[in-house]
Each structure stands twice: as C-alpha cells, then as structure tokens.
Amino acid sequence: MKSVNLFFRRLATTWTTTAPILAVIVLALAWGRTIPPLVVAIAAIFLAAAVLAAVHHAEVIAHRVGEPFGSLVLAVAVTVIEVALIISLTVSGGPAASSLARDTVFAAVMITCNGIVGLSLLMAALRRRVAVFNAEGTGGALATVATLATLSLVLPAFTTTVPGPAFAPAQLAFAAVASITLYGLFVLTQTIRHREYFLPVETTGERGGRQGGRHGGEAEHADLSSNRAAMVSLALLLAALIAVVGLAKIEAPAIETVVRTARLPQAAVGVVIALLVLLPETLAAVRAARRARVQVSLNLAFGSAMASIGLTIPTIAAASLWLEGPLLLGLGPTHIVLLGLTVVVATLTVVPGRATLLQAGVHLTLFAAFLLLAVSP
C-alpha cells in the first residue's frame, strides 16, 4: 500500500511540475498568432491543466504558511487573473465591453457566495451531517462583501450625476479608495488582529459538534513541506497563473464567438470568465470541505468575493483613465434582487455557525437561478 501511495504522490508531483512549464511554452508559441481551431482546443487542454496545477501549488504554499494566510494566496492570485482578463478584453472589445467589469465581478460574487459556499456546505454536510465553522470571522467577511458589493455594484444604478448606471469621477474614486481600504482592513483582521476567528473549527462525532472551542485542521495534513519545496511551488504557481491569463486571453475570441453564435447576452462572457478564473478556488474549497475544514472553504469563498471587488474595482477605476468609453458598474433590477437575496440567505447561514444540507441546497438553488438568468434574462 505504501508503494502505491508513493507512486501516486510522485505522479502528482511530476504532472503538476511539468503542466505549468508546458502551458507557458504553448502560450509562447501561440501568442500573437492566428491559430486554427485544433490549436485552440489544445490550448484549452493546457489551460485546464494549468488551473489544476495552480490549485496544487497554492495548497502546498497555503499548508506551509498556515491558515488564514494560505487562503489569501489563492484569493489574490485568482484576482490577478481576473483583473488581467478584464482589462485585456475591455481594451480589445471597445465600447461593447464597457460592462464587462461589472458582469465579471457580479458573477464572481454569485459564484463564490452561492456556488462555492453551497458546494462546500454540501460536501461537509454529506460527510458529517453538520458543517461547523466560526460565525465571528465568517460573519465579518460576509459583512465586508455585502458592503463592497453595494458600494460598487448597486449604488451606480441609482446615482444621477452622470447618465447611465455609472459613477461620476469623484464617486468612482471614492468607491475605489473605500474598496481597497476595506479589503486591507479585512486582511489585517484576518491575519493579525483576530486570526483565531478564521481558523478551522475542530469537531467531534459525525454530527459535527464543536469541541471545546479549539481550532484544528492544520494537524490533519501531512508533514509541512520544506522552504525549498514551498519556493518551488511559488515559482510554479506564478508560471501557472501566467499561463492561465495568457491562454484564457487566447481562448477569449472563441468564447465570444460561441456566445454570439448561441445568441446569448453579452453578460455571459463575464460569467464564463468568472467561472474560469474561480475554478482553482472552487476545487480547493471543495477539497477542504471534504476534510471537514469548512472554515477554510468559507475563507476561500468570501475572501475571493472580497478580493474580486476590493482589488478589481480600484484597478479598473485607474485603468478607466485611459480606457475608451464609459465604465458601467450599476446592476439591473434582476441582479440587484439576486444580490440582496444572496446577502440575506448568507447571513442566515452564517449566524448560527452551523449549516446542514438545507442551507447548502438554498445556496445552490440561488446559484442555479443566477446561471439561468445569465443565459435567459
């Protein structure tokens, strides 16, 4: 049995090491060229491999630095991908892409707060009947997400200084500063001031009861990787992220063509981008939930939503100084209703510090409703 485990461990190490390197090579060969459909398909395969490799190396780094620092690694890394894609597609798309930032950020919020949260609670509840987590830390994260989403995505739909669902320059500057300030304050709270609120809760018994308020989970892993292994994983993670950004840019025209051919709304492009860039965090969150580390899953979910708004909006605000066309941020009535319902449901889920299959089903139903309305508004 040991030899089998060793074989699979070596196999995982081999492919996660080679996949980012090969993906970067494919990116270098395809960049700036008109490529046939077969090469687009090959690039898509390497894109998926780079995403999976990014998950592995982010987990290695996260395990080395410990929680909650580890959850920040993947959250920030994925947000870098999202910002790069939004800016590159906005530049190439012209006025038609003026709402891409809004569509992508809103999709990221719905995917994280309903899709990732729902899947994580589902995995944990199926294994231990009750998913247990810290209400203090998770509640603070949810409050920050709700505030950021309202300031950046809801208020522009009601301001009247400039026409359209957009901010005036002074309003956009305030939203950008407030977003990055709140995100920085949350990181300070999560990693220094109240780190204990974001650590996994140790449970006993299959019903998931709390055990003496102790925080566990970090001991459930194997031995810590060495500093050298962590540095190698960091380098490979950066390579994988570069490959994901570049290959996703190459795949973007194919995605837009499919969206146009299927006669889907332009907002579907933002949904596809968000689904793509959040795939690493989704996989990492589900794996953590299967190990009864629900707090890690929620850290990833709400941390990603927060980073998506708190880092993307300031960057896009700065980029709007040289980007052509208006920056449309305000959501429509349907999306505002979905966002409001998501905040209410997530609050009721978080407050008790425990969740069952029912809460998982509610979040996944909201996520399904979002996907349906994205393709059929």
Side-chain angles (χ1 to χ4, degrees):
M1 190 67 179
K2 270 186 181 179
S3 60
V4 174
N5 289 336
L6 183 60
F7 169 76
F8 282 109
R9 186 176 297 178
R10 287 179 177 174
L11 180 62
T13 302
T14 300
W15 85 262
T16 54
T17 300
T18 56
I21 298 173
L22 292 176
V24 170
I25 293 174
V26 171
L27 172 62
L29 293 175
W31 188 260
R33 294 180 173 87
T34 301
I35 55 178
L38 177 61
V39 179
V40 173
I42 294 174
I45 294 174
F46 280 97
L47 173 60
V51 167
L52 295 175
V55 172
H56 170 77
H57 293 298
E59 287 190 335
V60 171
I61 298 169
H63 181 42
R64 179 61 189 172
V65 300
E67 285 298 322
F69 298 95
S71 300
L72 290 173
V73 174
L74 195 53
V76 174
V78 168
T79 305
V80 171
I81 298 176
E82 181 181 328
V83 171
L85 284 174
I86 290 174
I87 292 178
S88 61
L89 292 178
T90 301
V91 171
S92 61
S98 58
S99 63
L100 182 61
R102 175 197 65 192
D103 297 334
T104 305
V105 170
F106 176 67
V109 172
M110 298 303 293
I111 291 168
T112 52
C113 294
N114 287 318
I116 297 180
V117 168
L119 282 174
S120 299
L121 296 180
L122 177 66
M123 292 295 104
L126 285 175
R127 292 178 69 88
R128 301 205 174 206
R129 302 190 66 179
V130 176
V132 182
F133 49 88
N134 273 305
E136 298 93 337
T138 309
L142 175 60
T144 308
V145 171
T147 302
L148 289 174
T150 302
L151 285 176
S152 302
L153 301 177
V154 177
L155 284 183
F158 297 96
T159 54
T160 57
T161 303
V162 296
F167 272 143
Q171 295 168 338
L172 182 60
F174 172 79
V177 172
S179 296
I180 200 166
T181 301
L182 280 178
Y183 182 70
L185 183 60
F186 173 79
V187 171
L188 175 66
T189 302
Q190 184 186 35
T191 58
I192 299 176
R193 299 282 296 182
H194 298 285
R195 181 171 178 264
E196 68 277 8
Y197 289 167
F198 300 90
L199 297 179
V201 176
E202 201 173 284
T203 59
T204 57
E206 65 174 8
R207 292 184 181 272
R210 291 179 184 266
Q211 183 183 44
R214 290 166 50 197
H215 302 280
E218 291 183 63
E220 295 175 13
H221 284 288
D223 295 335
L224 286 175
S225 58
S226 64
N227 288 333
R228 179 181 178 184
M231 292 304 295
V232 170
S233 286
L234 177 60
L236 291 172
L237 173 62
L238 293 175
L241 293 177
I242 291 172
V244 170
V245 172
L247 292 176
K249 177 71 165 60
I250 291 173
E251 296 292 320
I255 294 173
E256 292 178 341
T257 299
V258 170
V259 169
R260 286 195 301 268
T261 303
R263 296 182 179 179
L264 296 175
Q266 185 66 26
V269 176
V271 176
V272 173
I273 292 174
L275 286 171
L276 179 64
V277 300
L278 287 170
L279 181 58
E281 294 201 330
T282 303
L283 296 176
V286 169
R287 290 177 64 177
R290 286 177 60 85
R291 301 189 189 110
R293 293 164 58 83
V294 182
Q295 187 61 51
V296 176
S297 301
L298 298 182
N299 289 348
L300 284 168
F302 292 120
S304 299
M306 209 177 308
S308 180
I309 306 173
L311 300 181
T312 300
I313 296 301
T315 305
I316 297 299
S320 66
L321 296 176
W322 53 269
L323 290 176
E324 295 182 2
L327 178 60
L328 304 181
L329 290 176
L331 296 172
T334 302
H335 288 166
I336 290 176
V337 170
L338 274 179
L339 179 61
L341 184 57
T342 296
V343 172
V344 172
V345 168
T347 301
L348 295 176
T349 298
V350 165
V351 167
R354 299 161 62 87
T356 64
L357 283 175
L358 176 60
Q359 284 85 1
V362 171
H363 282 281
L364 290 175
T365 300
L366 280 175
F367 180 58
F370 161 70
L371 292 179
L372 174 64
L373 293 173
V375 299
S376 180

